[in-house]
């Protein structure tokens, strides 16, 4: 016991974070295999159970079996629990319970929770953890209520309750799981439904630190206090998110106006184009058939999936701040500036280096995944296009969940590859960022002589 306790104390924050997700995936896989009453037919095999559990815990949304028809209510309830736990993070939940009973947060939990706190130092760790759970439940409850009001007249007042709750949690956690066989394609002409789901996705993808800071400014204004300046982190998240949403909205409308959206009216075309821009940023719900979309729209979706949401959120991807820092770095170099500046502030060189490192590794993982999936040649349908395979890999690595109808045709070997990519995409960026922070913060004992290299 002493050895076990000593080993546990040696776990670093990234190791504890990765271990919590891995443990939840294993537990979910065993539950999907052994618990009775989860399926309408034959139970999932080991590979498909691991795939489904990983997709739920990593809030990805890729499925090998239809959630609506293959799973019973109990099965869908288990998936929703895995999505919720994966969205919040096991360590966050544990920290919240400890704080609720008056105990002190463990150093491991504080290390994980405080990683986002560096950008907004005015948010205490304990308050941040309470805020994560409180705002999550508040947004999900509000979303469920609004979806229930929208769906009850057509589905029935009793029948609409479960789909409303399921979709609200799935949307806020950016999971993309749906109790409808066609995801949200049947709601193409329901702007209210698409608007609610979009707001939930955006709220979940902005990041808890950003939401807390915005609410703090609102409380200051309500109390008549002088409002604090928005942190550079929050300003960057809000501006980049708005630009990506607006740009994607316009481009999707242009690419698919006479394509998959051709049968819709002007208002519904605009609504669905906006939803396509929202959901591509790691949400996974779809109102169109991406296999029937143009190559331009699918390539744009891949690019938006690569960027993803914001740090400290339920979304995946390389993150909006990383994307912004890469652009700002290029712009500063073009102007021969020594440092990266934004909002009248200079960004630390260490942070810029972490952003570059994260982007390079994320791109390398995607390229390796595409190469392996293309090299396997083990799709049952040999005619599936290369773009579909690349789309699948990017969706998995960035925990999005969109697919060009490739997932059900993957062989067991390819499914295990996607499992690994989903897991790496969910826990890899945070762990890598922590590792890079520790490595870059450690000064070396000496520096080797400079020698220039020709680039460009």
């Amino acid at each position: 016991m002493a050895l076990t306790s000593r080993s546990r104390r040696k776990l670093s924050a990234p190791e504890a974070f990765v271990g919590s997700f891995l443990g939840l995936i294993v537990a979910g896989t065993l539950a999907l295999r052994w618990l009775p009453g989860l399926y309408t037919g034959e139970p999932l095999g080991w590979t498909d159970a691991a795939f489904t559990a990983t997709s739920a815990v990593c809030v990805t949304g890729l499925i090998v079996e239809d959630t609506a028809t293959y799973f019973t209510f109990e099965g869908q309830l288990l998936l929703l629990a895995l999505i919720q736990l994966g969205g919040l993070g096991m360590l966050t939940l544990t920290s919240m319970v400890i704080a609720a009973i008056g105990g002190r947060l463990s150093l491991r939990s504080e290390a994980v929770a405080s990683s986002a706190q560096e950008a907004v130092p005015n948010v205490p760790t304990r308050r941040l953890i309470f805020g994560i759970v409180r705002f999550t439940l508040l947004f999900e409850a509000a979303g469920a209520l609004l979806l229930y009001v929208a769906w009850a007249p057509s589905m029935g007042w009793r029948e609409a309750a479960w789909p409303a709750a399921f979709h609200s949690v799935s949307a806020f956690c950016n999971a993309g799981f749906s109790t409808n066989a066609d995801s949200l394609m049947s709601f193409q002409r329901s702007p209210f439904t698409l608007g609610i789901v979009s707001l939930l996705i955006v709220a979940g993808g902005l990041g808890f630190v950003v939401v807390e800071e915005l609410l703090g400014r609102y409380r200051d204004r309500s109390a008549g206090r002088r409002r604090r300046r928005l942190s550079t982190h929050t300003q960057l998240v809000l501006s980049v998110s708005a630009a990506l949403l607006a740009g994607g909205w316009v481009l999707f409308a242009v690419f698919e106006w006479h394509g998959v959206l051709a049968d819709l009216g002007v208002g519904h075309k605009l609504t669905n184009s906006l939803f396509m821009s929202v959901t591509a940023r790691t949400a996974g719900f779809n109102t169109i058939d991406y296999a029937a979309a143009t190559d331009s729209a699918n390539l744009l979706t891949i690019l938006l999936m690569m960027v993803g949401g914001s740090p400290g959120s339920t979304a995946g991807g390389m993150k909006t701040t990383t994307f912004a820092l890469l652009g700002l770095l290029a712009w500063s170099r073009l102007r021969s500036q020594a440092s990266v500046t934004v909002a009248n502030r200079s960004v630390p060189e260490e942070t810029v280096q972490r952003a570059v490192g994260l982007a390079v590794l994320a791109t390398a993982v995607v390229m390796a995944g595409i190469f392996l999936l293309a090299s396997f040649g083990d799709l049952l349908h040999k005619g599936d296009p290369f773009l579909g395979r690349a789309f699948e890999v990017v969706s998995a690595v960035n925990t999005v969940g969109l697919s060009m109808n490739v997932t059900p045709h993957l062989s067991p070997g390819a499914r295990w590859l996607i499992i690994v990519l989903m897991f790496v995409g969910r826990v890899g960026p945070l762990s890598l960022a922590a590792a890079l922070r520790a490595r870059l913060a450690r000064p070396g004992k000496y520096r080797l002589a400079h020698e220039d290299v020709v680039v460009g």
Side-chain angles (χ1 to χ4, degrees):
M1 178 65 70
L3 180 62
T4 303
S5 178
R6 194 180 305 118
S7 301
R8 188 169 61 244
R9 284 196 299 272
K10 291 181 179 179
L11 283 177
S12 65
E15 289 170 340
F17 176 79
V18 172
S20 68
F21 274 89
L22 185 59
L24 186 55
I25 289 172
V26 171
T29 301
L30 295 176
L32 288 170
R33 277 290 295 163
W34 290 340
L35 288 181
L38 301 181
Y39 310 104
T40 57
E42 291 295 318
L44 292 173
W46 282 108
T47 296
D48 288 349
F51 189 103
T52 303
T54 305
S55 183
V57 172
C58 297
V59 291
T60 304
L62 292 174
I63 56 173
V64 291
E65 298 291 349
D66 180 30
T67 306
T69 58
Y70 192 80
F71 291 90
T72 62
F73 170 76
E74 291 76 13
Q76 294 176 4
L77 185 62
L78 174 60
L79 290 179
L80 192 66
L82 294 175
I83 291 169
Q84 185 73 90
L85 292 173
L88 287 172
M90 284 298 291
L91 283 178
T92 302
L93 282 178
T94 304
S95 300
M96 185 268 180
V97 171
I98 294 173
I101 61 177
R104 185 182 184 277
L105 298 178
S106 69
L107 294 178
R108 274 201 314 278
S109 300
E110 285 188 347
V112 173
S114 62
S115 61
Q117 198 178 357
E118 295 173 4
V120 189
N122 294 323
V123 184
T125 300
R126 186 183 295 264
R127 178 176 152 198
L128 179 64
I129 293 171
F130 271 118
I132 288 174
V133 178
R134 184 173 64 248
F135 295 139
T136 297
L137 297 180
L138 176 64
F139 275 111
E140 290 174 350
L145 179 61
L146 291 173
L147 288 176
Y148 177 73
V149 171
W151 294 348
S154 58
M155 293 184 182
W157 296 103
R158 176 178 295 181
E159 290 76 8
W162 174 242
F166 189 99
H167 282 87
S168 181
V169 174
S170 184
F172 185 81
C173 291
N174 282 212
F177 279 83
S178 175
T179 56
N180 302 321
D182 63 353
S183 190
L184 297 180
M185 291 182 66
S186 57
F187 294 98
Q188 278 186 331
R189 293 175 171 83
S190 178
F192 187 64
T193 294
L194 298 185
I196 296 169
V197 174
S198 295
L199 288 174
L200 287 168
I201 293 170
V202 171
L206 280 179
F208 299 112
V209 173
V210 173
V211 173
E212 173 69 14
E213 188 177 3
L214 291 175
L215 289 175
R217 278 173 59 88
Y218 174 78
R219 286 191 291 265
D220 288 344
R221 186 176 66 178
S222 299
R225 294 190 295 265
R226 183 174 178 270
R227 288 187 297 176
R228 291 168 291 182
R229 169 188 174 274
L230 278 178
S231 67
T232 303
H233 169 81
T234 296
Q235 292 185 58
L236 210 55
V237 166
L238 294 177
S239 59
V240 173
S241 297
L244 290 173
L245 287 175
W249 185 9
V250 173
L251 290 175
F252 278 124
V254 171
F255 294 150
E256 297 299 338
W257 195 267
H258 299 292
V260 292
L261 303 178
D263 295 335
L264 301 176
V266 173
H268 295 313
K269 285 181 178 179
L270 294 175
T271 303
N272 282 266
S273 299
L274 175 60
F275 187 82
M276 290 169 67
S277 182
V278 171
T279 196
R281 304 262 310 289
T282 83
F285 292 104
N286 63 285
T287 59
I288 67 162
D289 180 4
Y290 282 88
T294 62
D295 287 348
S296 299
N298 284 329
L299 181 57
L300 175 60
T301 302
I302 287 176
L303 295 176
L304 290 176
M305 289 193 294
M306 283 291 295
V307 176
S310 301
S313 72
T314 56
M318 75 169 66
K319 302 299 186 292
T320 52
T321 49
T322 301
F323 173 74
L325 287 178
L326 292 178
L328 290 170
L329 175 62
W331 180 242
S332 67
R333 294 299 180 261
L334 287 174
R335 294 190 298 166
S336 300
Q337 290 184 337
S339 60
V340 174
T341 58
V342 58
N344 295 319
R345 295 290 189 276
S346 294
V347 181
E349 182 65 24
E350 175 190 334
T351 302
V352 176
Q353 290 183 37
R354 289 208 306 270
V356 173
L358 282 169
V360 170
L361 245 74
T363 304
V365 170
V366 168
M367 292 297 104
I370 294 173
F371 178 80
L372 288 174
L373 190 58
S375 299
F376 280 167
D378 55 7
L379 286 171
L380 296 182
H381 292 282
K382 302 296 183 180
D384 282 335
F386 173 78
L387 182 61
R389 305 184 189 195
F391 195 101
E392 191 81 4
V393 169
V394 175
S395 180
V397 172
N398 298 287
T399 66
V400 180
L402 296 175
S403 177
M404 294 173 64
N405 299 329
V406 169
T407 313
H409 308 310
L410 294 172
S411 73
R415 292 184 185 189
W416 278 106
L417 173 62
I418 297 299
I419 288 172
V420 172
L421 292 175
M422 287 190 291
F423 181 75
V424 170
R426 179 58 176 164
V427 304
L430 287 174
S431 303
L432 178 62
L436 285 174
R437 177 178 179 272
R439 177 67 64 181
L440 293 172
R442 190 181 306 155
K445 295 181 179 179
Y446 59 88
R447 177 181 62 79
L448 298 176
H450 283 298
E451 184 172 351
D452 207 354
V453 176
V454 179
V455 295

